[in-house]
Amino acid sequence: PMSLREHALSLFRGAVGTVRPAPMLRRALKLQGDGCPQLLVKGQAFPVKKDLYLVGFGKAVLGMAAAAEEILGDHLTRGIINVPLGIQESLQRAGMQEMLLKPRSKIQVIEGAKNNLPDAEALKGAVAIQELAEGLTADDLLLVLISGRGGSALLPAPIPPILLEEKEKLTKMLASRGAAIQELNTVRKTLSVLKGGGLAQLAHPAQVVSLILSDVIGDPLDIIASGPTAASSHSVQDCLQILTKYNLLHNLPKSVEMVLSSSPTRPTAPANYSHVSNIILGSNTLALEEARRQAEGLGYAALVLSAAVQGEVGRVATLYCQLIQLVCLGFASPGEGPLSDELRGNLLQLAAELQIPGLDLQEFLQALRGLGPDRAVCILAGGETTVQLQGTGKGGRNQELALRVGLGLHKAQATGASSPQGSCEILFLSGGTDGQDGPTEAAGAFCSPGLVAEALREGLDVEAFLRNNDSYSFFSQFQGGHHLLVTGLTGTNVMDIQAILIRAM
């Protein structure tokens, strides 16, 4: 029989495959008819009356644009995309030709935003996209490709007279005072021509169709890449409140003061977005659905916990450890006992503290209980954890999460007779869907309590690796890195995916 590792790898690949730009676009986008052609997006029809234009920005947009151009053919008039510096060369080197535009493409590629920071090149691309949008008529159709990761940095266009450097300096000052990403984005949007629905408004009266690859928990349209084609849920008032909160209202650049004071503080009539359709093409939820389908095909009873797992990596690891123990307990003694009550109580408390959006853990545990005692179980989840960096080691949040889960399970097993894991084979996988996890070539790692036991027998201090944030070095010690998940660049990004596989021994 296939090993749990092979199963987990196959589920991860399936999940990522379903949100890769080309297959994702081919499933969702069709062009129909010759006389008066129609663009069909997930069953919605948009007539192409005159010219069809394409713009895009973000890490995965090159692959999306290549697939879109193939589908649109001669109907595409012209396009401009803003992509990260060096991406064409990286894809070329990785042999990923299908992610690159063909020679003589009608789409102009501008590379910028070195180190994911807005720069002069990104600004040049944003200005070109702005000019294209402003020139459209009511009979034109603008197809907008948005990839959340990097999308915001690749579309910088501060409201004049604000300079890019001034906006950046303000963002850095906010960040250094502890502003949350949502607060930073609110300020960025307020000072930007294209974000917060600006691009959609400039393209009016043309029909705007946005195809979005989401890298944000819950897929909020106005947050992904700072929402260039979605109505902003924030006002100038919100921006002023944030600047006041971080004590920055009185040392703003003159240009920022000017823009903020000339913006109407009372909410103006809400802008009209009836010419805009925003469609989420790829997300963590879609990737998990595909993994679940495949797990069932491999004979597992499969459940999706959540596509919005977030929080500090150690606490998320504890959540997964307790879930795994509960499943193993069900294998060992199907009846309810004091240990399962205790685990269930701990789990509910931890889930409440982590505040995972939309997770009804009671309901999930109910479903888990209904799976029957003898089936192999697969629990899938996704989202993005956070790591407080303390050490100088190598590794990323996925490798660290995997190692923490392995260690937690090993400790639970070592504490004696009440451990239910003895009768179970367990594997935990966590990986980044973009194929990268921290500064290493790994996307994540596979871990089991057995691996940690083996490490301890060999005299390795697992806790020391974790203290030094050095999970990569830990996994590299075994079987030539067999426990590292190495996929290479995937050309997509919908955050991270975790798989827990458990079968009775």
Side-chain angles (χ1 to χ4, degrees), residues 59-340:
K59 260 189 183 172
V61 154
L62 193 60
M64 289 167 80
E69 186 164 31
E70 235 166 71
I71 295 162
L72 302 173
D74 293 339
H75 288 286
L76 180 65
T77 308
R78 75 177 261 250
I80 303 171
I81 57 172
N82 246 11
V83 296
L85 191 66
I87 191 161
Q88 296 180 92
E89 197 194 338
S90 308
L91 291 169
Q92 195 96 47
R93 264 207 318 269
M96 296 171 77
Q97 294 307 326
E98 77 284 1
M99 308 279 282
L100 293 165
L101 295 169
K102 301 276 183 287
R104 295 187 298 287
S105 162
K106 290 179 186 167
I107 300 170
Q108 176 192 357
V109 180
I110 296 168
E111 292 193 358
K114 189 179 177 184
N115 302 327
N116 202 20
L117 294 168
D119 55 18
E121 286 307 302
L123 181 60
K124 190 179 101 179
V127 169
I129 287 172
Q130 179 182 341
E131 286 170 354
L132 186 149
E134 285 171 335
L136 301 178
T137 70
D139 288 338
D140 293 324
L141 192 150
L142 179 65
L143 190 62
V144 184
L145 307 177
I146 301 178
S147 144
R149 204 38 64 96
S152 193
L154 284 160
L155 200 68
I159 296 171
I162 302 173
L163 301 172
L164 188 59
E165 298 73 64
E166 294 175 318
K167 189 173 155 188
E168 271 318 277
K169 197 174 147 197
L170 179 58
T171 311
K172 279 206 183 90
M173 273 159 56
L174 274 166
S176 71
R177 294 183 183 198
I181 184 69
Q182 283 80 0
E183 294 176 312
L184 293 176
N185 280 344
T186 301
V187 173
R188 279 194 192 121
K189 281 197 292 193
T190 312
L191 304 177
S192 165
V193 178
L194 298 172
K195 295 178 173 130
L199 177 60
Q201 291 307 318
L202 290 174
H204 185 270
Q207 172 78 54
V208 177
V209 181
S210 263
L211 308 183
I212 302 167
L213 180 65
S214 168
D215 69 327
V216 183
I217 281 178
D219 310 331
L221 292 173
D222 66 322
I223 305 285
I224 303 165
S226 300
T229 56
S232 175
S233 50
H234 302 107
S235 65
V236 173
Q237 215 47 51
D238 296 322
C239 179
L240 291 168
Q241 259 167 354
I242 293 165
L243 294 170
T244 309
K245 174 178 169 184
Y246 294 102
N247 232 343
L248 285 169
L249 208 49
H250 301 297
N251 47 1
L252 293 175
K254 281 278 166 285
S255 57
V256 174
E257 270 182 17
M258 244 175 84
V259 166
L260 289 173
S261 61
S262 64
S263 302
T265 42
R266 286 181 306 287
T268 46
N272 179 356
Y273 284 86
S274 58
H275 64 299
V276 185
S277 296
N278 286 306
I279 299 162
I280 301 255
L281 280 201
S283 65
N284 194 275
T285 305
L286 288 164
L288 290 176
E289 258 321 296
E290 178 59 25
R292 188 180 65 81
R293 230 176 43 77
Q294 297 206 7
E296 286 178 344
L298 290 168
Y300 287 87
L303 290 174
V304 173
L305 175 70
S306 165
V309 173
Q310 55 188 16
E312 196 275 316
V313 66
R315 315 203 44 189
V316 173
T318 305
L319 181 82
Y320 287 142
C321 285
Q322 292 177 346
L323 256 179
I324 291 166
Q325 286 179 284
L326 203 55
V327 174
C328 289
L329 199 59
F331 279 166
S333 53
E336 296 299 304
L339 182 58
S340 65

Side-chain angles (χ1 to χ4, degrees), residues 313-375:
V313 66
R315 315 203 44 189
V316 173
T318 305
L319 181 82
Y320 287 142
C321 285
Q322 292 177 346
L323 256 179
I324 291 166
Q325 286 179 284
L326 203 55
V327 174
C328 289
L329 199 59
F331 279 166
S333 53
E336 296 299 304
L339 182 58
S340 65
D341 291 343
E342 186 190 335
L343 275 171
R344 196 169 273 115
N346 291 346
L347 262 171
L348 290 168
Q349 190 182 342
L350 188 54
E353 287 167 20
L354 283 168
Q355 295 186 328
I356 294 166
L359 171 61
D360 183 343
L361 193 60
Q362 287 276 20
E363 194 182 311
F364 181 81
L365 295 176
Q366 201 60 45
L368 206 52
R369 209 182 289 178
L371 290 181
D374 36 351
R375 298 227 8 224

Side-chain angles (χ1 to χ4, degrees), residues 12 16 396-399 429-438 440-445 472 484-490 495-497:
F12 184 80
V16 170
R397 56 178 184 261
N398 289 291
Q399 294 164 68
L429 162 73
S430 187
T433 54
D434 58 353
Q436 290 172 308
D437 185 39
T440 69
E441 85 283 6
Y472 176 78
L484 288 165
L485 170 66
V486 181
T487 60
L489 277 180
T490 62
M495 301 183 289
D496 304 334
I497 284 177

